[in-house]
Amino acid sequence: MTPNDAPGGVPAGRKLTAGEYGYDDLEIHDRYDTAGVTVTEAHVVGFAGLSGDLFDVHMDDEFARNVGFPGRIAHGLLGLSLADGLKTRSPIRLLGVATLSWNWSFKGPILIGDRIHAAIAVAGKRATKRPDRGIVTLGMRVLKQTGETVQEGETLLMMRLRDSAPA
């Protein structure tokens, strides 16, 4: 996969610009990158408290080093959560109704201090029984400041058509 390829090896298509996009506005291979966020100790500790996942690799530097990491690592689901938040608050506003599923892989660790962003591309589209909605498959990659892909996968997003959006 080249840097211009979309997540999942989908060839790069139109690069979306800031604005609102309904299901009917999107084309397969459309793509965009989100802004980034630096993963902090507060993220990791807060997520541990919220999720109840206090596993040592997230909470104990010595344990993490002893199992081969340079220090504590962020929870995989924290990385996914941050990436989904970056998608949601992007200047590319998708008229989403609901996330329907995730198919996700964790490729490498996210360390405290890493800056991550998401590369997103439309991998598929399908109509629903309701004429005002459709389902879009979004391929996503989470990359850190080195360009390394640390997470990737797909999510299904139910979206409104532009003309059916509330005023």
Side-chain angles (χ1 to χ4, degrees), residues 12-102:
R14 173 178 66 157
K15 186 160 182 144
L16 299 178
T17 58
E20 285 193 341
Y21 294 85
Y23 171 82
D24 46 333
D25 297 319
L26 296 176
E27 300 171 8
I28 294 177
H29 307 309
D30 283 350
R31 63 187 170 86
Y32 67 99
D33 292 323
T34 69
V37 63
T38 300
V39 179
T40 67
E41 170 147 355
H43 286 122
V44 173
V45 172
F47 192 83
L50 180 66
S51 67
D53 182 350
L54 299 168
F55 187 61
D56 292 337
V57 76
H58 308 303
M59 306 308 293
D60 183 333
D61 275 319
E62 184 176 337
F63 178 88
R65 283 192 294 276
N66 287 337
V67 295
F69 297 105
R72 292 183 300 153
I73 63 172
H75 304 74
L77 292 175
L78 172 59
L80 171 58
S81 297
L82 290 171
D84 192 51
L86 290 168
K87 172 180 65 74
T88 301
R89 70 176 197 240
S90 172
I92 286 63
R93 305 286 302 171
L94 304 179
L95 298 178
V97 174
T99 298
L100 302 177
S101 70
W102 289 96

Side-chain angles (χ1 to χ4, degrees), residues 96-128:
V97 174
T99 298
L100 302 177
S101 70
W102 289 96
N103 180 9
W104 205 248
S105 295
F106 304 97
K107 304 290 190 180
I110 299 172
L111 304 171
I112 294 170
D114 279 342
R115 185 163 180 79
I116 62 170
H117 78 276
I120 300 171
V122 178
K125 288 179 66 173
R126 68 180 171 87
T128 66

